[in-house]
Amino acid sequence: MAEGNGEVVEEMANQKSGEGGDGERTQDYSKLLEYGLNLSVASRLDAIYKTGKLAHSELDERALDALKEFHVEGALDVLDQFLDSNLEHVSNKSAFLCGVMKTYRQKVRATQQGQPAPAVTVQAKGPDEEKIKAILERTGYTLDVTTGQRKYGGPPPNWTGNTPGNGCEVFCGKIPKDMYEDELIPLFEKCGKIWDLRLMMDPMTGTNRGYAFVTFTSRDAASNAVRELNNYEIKPGNCLKINVSVPNLRLFLNDYEIRNGKKIGVTISFNNHRLFVGNIPKNRDRDELLEEFAKHAPGLVEVIIYSSPDDKKKNRGFCFLEYESHKAASLAKRRLGTGRIKVWNCDIIVDWADPQEEPDEQTMSKVKVLYVRNLTQDTSEDKLKESFEQFGRVERVKKIKDYAFVHFEDRDNAVKAMKDLDGKEIGGSNIEVSLAKPPSDKKKKEEILRARERRMTQFLQTRIGLVNMSPQHAGMMPGAMPPMRVPSGPGGPRAPMRGGPMGGRGEYGK
């Protein structure tokens, strides 16, 4: 018998008789040894069991397997950090332990690459647990803590309504590192009923990331939060500038004072359910694309394609994938964007679609312009004007490639035309007609486009560099009909930015 196995047998015998090691073992200690954990690691984990902060039944195979893969010193460090953590509101301790292990690996990797790795932070001020307890008792909500976020609520107790949709969530930025739910919840409760509040945490430092997302049960409450908490000061002279969050395309805006002049930012947050996918074969239709992309990630509900003006049987080389939730879209983006998945032997490009911020009902109630798409190349502006003018006076028609904007003099006539002509055939194609969106903030749109350009440039530089892109698919890039030409320069290749209406209502010019 090998020496190591002999030690295990002896250790197991000692624990059964209550002898050796750190004294009396728990009844689960032998299970750790049988699972293959190192003696020292099993002993440390068993010692945690005896504190009552963790039970063996709360650990799943994923956590135990991860501990087995760690070197002994690292595993012991991880378990010490876990023991020092505040686990009062941690519902899934196994996942929390996995999070601690992931953070430990990231720090080790950063150190090996010569990057400064932040030390484990002992928080100078944590949340007031008595206040949090009082809030939970008063509301009946729960607080679930992981290494990445602290989530309060969702849904409220005994909730019978629908799940909140777009426009019900706000983003809160510039939160002090020592601010928690005990202060945030009373602040936002004044604006309306909270569905959930998610304070994002930095596992590398143990502090919050300085921002949170608050979902309300109604859009009115969310709008009230932006109105009431905008420009709310926390500490002197700290203002939040308008910016765009690239990873998930939530908009970061506005300020509100809480402590001595420092300001938090609060704005409506739009969950993005839509992905942009480029470099797809142009001869594939919607149903084929839906079947293909549904194989790679769950939750796909729709595929949006745009036909080529020259050949209605072909798409433009890109599509949009609509998922049932932001979580499903995020999972699909991770899977499709690895570079390992090919679609009909094509290297696809995956990115978030530009956020579609819908105008409010009051704004749309004044619109007299129709957005008409799926037009053929032969359909002229005069032909369109003739078709729509039977419903009332048309001031002008502006056609752009395979879509157009029809400006009516009277809104009622525009609505009648939309209802009657949507789906009808004009110029050999069944057209789609909807109310157009009024022009959005040009500065905001430019920020979104610049952010997309940076992401696409980085993608091209790091993965495919356009060298292996087939000519027939080079024109798939956003807003590009002809084969893509990539001008070189000091910053490397530059991807063109997407323009034109891409899903939903078209946006007409002023």
Side-chain angles (χ1 to χ4, degrees):
M1 179 180 294
E3 184 178 352
N5 290 338
E7 291 177 358
V8 173
V9 172
E10 181 180 356
E11 183 70 18
M12 292 178 68
N14 287 339
Q15 70 87 23
K16 289 179 181 177
S17 60
E19 300 174 359
D22 301 284
E24 187 175 353
R25 305 293 189 186
T26 71
Q27 61 182 359
D28 295 311
Y29 179 64
S30 60
K31 298 177 184 178
L32 299 176
L33 297 177
E34 291 169 358
Y35 202 85
L37 291 183
N38 174 273
L39 288 176
S40 299
V41 176
S43 297
R44 189 68 56 86
L45 190 54
D46 192 64
I48 295 176
Y49 288 169
K50 288 192 286 186
T51 67
K53 294 190 73 171
L54 177 69
H56 184 73
S57 58
E58 293 177 302
L59 287 184
D60 56 25
E61 291 183 357
R62 178 185 169 212
L64 292 172
D65 287 340
L67 276 175
K68 281 172 60 177
E69 294 174 2
F70 262 84
H71 57 85
V72 175
E73 183 180 350
L76 295 177
D77 286 345
V78 163
L79 291 176
D80 287 343
Q81 291 178 28
F82 178 82
L83 184 60
D84 291 340
S85 301
N86 183 353
L87 304 176
E88 184 170 354
H89 300 290
V90 176
S91 62
N92 190 335
K93 295 179 181 178
S94 187
F96 189 89
L97 178 57
C98 287
V100 174
M101 286 187 274
K102 179 180 178 181
T103 303
Y104 184 88
R105 288 194 186 96
Q106 290 173 342
K107 291 181 178 179
V108 170
R109 192 178 301 117
T111 302
Q112 291 173 345
Q113 295 174 352
Q115 302 171 1
V120 177
T121 301
V122 179
Q123 296 173 0
K125 177 185 179 300
D128 187 323
E129 290 294 346
E130 289 301 318
K131 289 184 178 179
I132 288 181
K133 183 179 179 181
I135 290 172
L136 298 179
E137 289 178 350
R138 170 173 59 82
T139 62
Y141 284 55
T142 58
L143 177 62
D144 187 18
V145 177
T146 67
T147 55
Q149 72 174 9
R150 296 170 61 92
K151 181 182 179 184
Y152 164 79
N158 305 316
W159 179 258
T160 58
N162 297 325
T163 301
N166 273 339
C168 294
E169 182 181 82
V170 300
F171 166 81
C172 176
K174 289 291 182 180
I175 298 173
K177 299 294 185 181
D178 59 350
M179 177 174 277
Y180 294 89
E181 301 83 9
D182 53 320
E183 295 180 83
L184 290 172
I185 291 170
L187 179 67
F188 283 96
E189 277 182 329
K190 297 175 183 178
C191 304
K193 189 174 184 61
I194 295 175
W195 172 274
D196 68 26
L197 183 151
R198 304 185 310 283
L199 179 62
M200 311 312 291
M201 304 298 294
D202 183 357
M204 296 287 279
T205 63
T207 61
N208 74 59
R209 291 183 179 271
Y211 65 93
F213 296 99
V214 185
T215 305
F216 290 91
T217 56
S218 69
R219 295 185 66 173
D220 288 343
S223 298
N224 190 38
V226 175
R227 183 171 56 254
E228 296 296 327
L229 303 183
N230 176 36
N231 208 27
Y232 190 82
E233 192 173 30
I234 306 170
K235 293 181 180 178
N238 196 322
C239 298
L240 179 67
K241 70 174 182 178
I242 296 177
N243 200 0
V244 176
S245 171
V246 172
N248 58 9
L249 295 177
R250 299 175 188 269
L251 301 181
F252 288 19
L253 310 173
N254 304 335
D255 311 318
Y256 187 94
E257 177 175 353
I258 295 181
R259 300 182 189 164
N260 304 325
K262 187 171 182 180
K263 298 180 180 181
I264 62 173
V266 181
T267 186
I268 296 294
S269 171
F270 296 94
N271 278 319
N272 201 346
H273 299 184
R274 184 175 295 182
L275 299 180
F276 164 81
V277 181
N279 205 32
I280 62 172
K282 293 185 177 180
N283 60 350
R284 302 292 176 172
D285 62 23
R286 173 199 167 277
D287 293 338
E288 290 175 304
L289 291 167
L290 182 63
E291 180 181 0
E292 176 64 24
F293 284 109
K295 299 176 184 176
H296 303 293
L300 180 62
V301 296
E302 182 61 279
V303 173
I304 302 167
I305 62 173
Y306 291 84
S307 301
S308 168
D310 301 326
D311 187 349
K312 289 299 178 181
K313 294 181 180 179
K314 292 184 177 181
N315 68 67
R316 294 189 181 184
F318 63 86
C319 67
F320 294 90
L321 306 181
E322 185 78 20
Y323 287 86
E324 62 186 12
S325 66
H326 176 75
K327 182 178 180 180
S330 184
L331 174 62
K333 183 177 182 292
R334 287 198 301 272
R335 291 184 179 178
L336 295 172
T338 60
R340 296 189 296 271
I341 293 178
K342 294 180 181 290
V343 177
W344 291 289
N345 213 29
C346 294
D347 289 310
I348 58 174
I349 295 176
V350 183
D351 197 4
W352 289 106
D354 291 341
Q356 298 291 315
E357 184 177 352
E358 290 296 322
D360 55 45
E361 292 183 6
Q362 183 178 2
T363 300
M364 290 304 298
S365 67
K366 302 175 183 178
V367 173
K368 299 183 290 182
V369 182
L370 298 181
Y371 168 53
V372 186
R373 77 179 195 96
N374 203 32
L375 299 173
T376 61
Q377 195 172 31
D378 296 333
T379 304
S380 65
E381 292 180 352
D382 290 339
K383 174 65 175 176
L384 284 172
K385 186 173 183 180
E386 179 184 339
S387 300
F388 281 85
E389 207 157 35
Q390 58 181 307
F391 298 94
R393 188 173 186 278
V394 173
E395 294 178 339
R396 63 190 177 97
V397 175
K398 178 64 176 178
K399 185 187 177 189
I400 308 166
K401 294 182 180 178
D402 62 345
Y403 62 93
F405 296 99
V406 180
H407 295 247
F408 275 84
E409 189 177 78
D410 181 79
R411 173 181 165 80
D412 290 340
N413 293 338
V415 173
K416 290 177 185 177
M418 176 183 68
K419 292 179 178 178
D420 193 75
L421 294 180
D422 184 36
K424 296 294 178 62
E425 182 180 331
I426 292 181
S429 177
N430 292 329
I431 63 172
E432 298 177 19
V433 186
S434 60
L435 289 173
K437 284 176 21 176
S440 59
D441 188 310
K442 288 186 178 180
K443 184 177 179 181
K444 184 188 297 184
K445 183 183 291 186
E446 282 299 317
E447 288 176 345
I448 293 173
L449 292 175
R450 282 196 297 271
R452 169 172 291 281
E453 183 179 34
R454 287 193 298 269
R455 298 199 304 279
M456 297 303 288
T457 299
Q458 182 182 19
F459 176 90
L460 296 172
Q461 289 174 330
T462 56
R463 211 182 90 188
I464 61 174
L466 294 182
V467 175
N468 297 320
M469 185 176 289
S470 57
Q472 63 268 34
H473 296 128
M476 49 44 75
M477 294 298 290
M481 279 303 299
M484 184 171 60
R485 296 180 295 276
V486 184
S488 59
R494 298 177 66 242
M497 299 181 291
R498 184 159 81 243
M502 293 299 176
R505 301 186 183 96
E507 185 179 296
Y508 62 91
K510 292 182 179 179

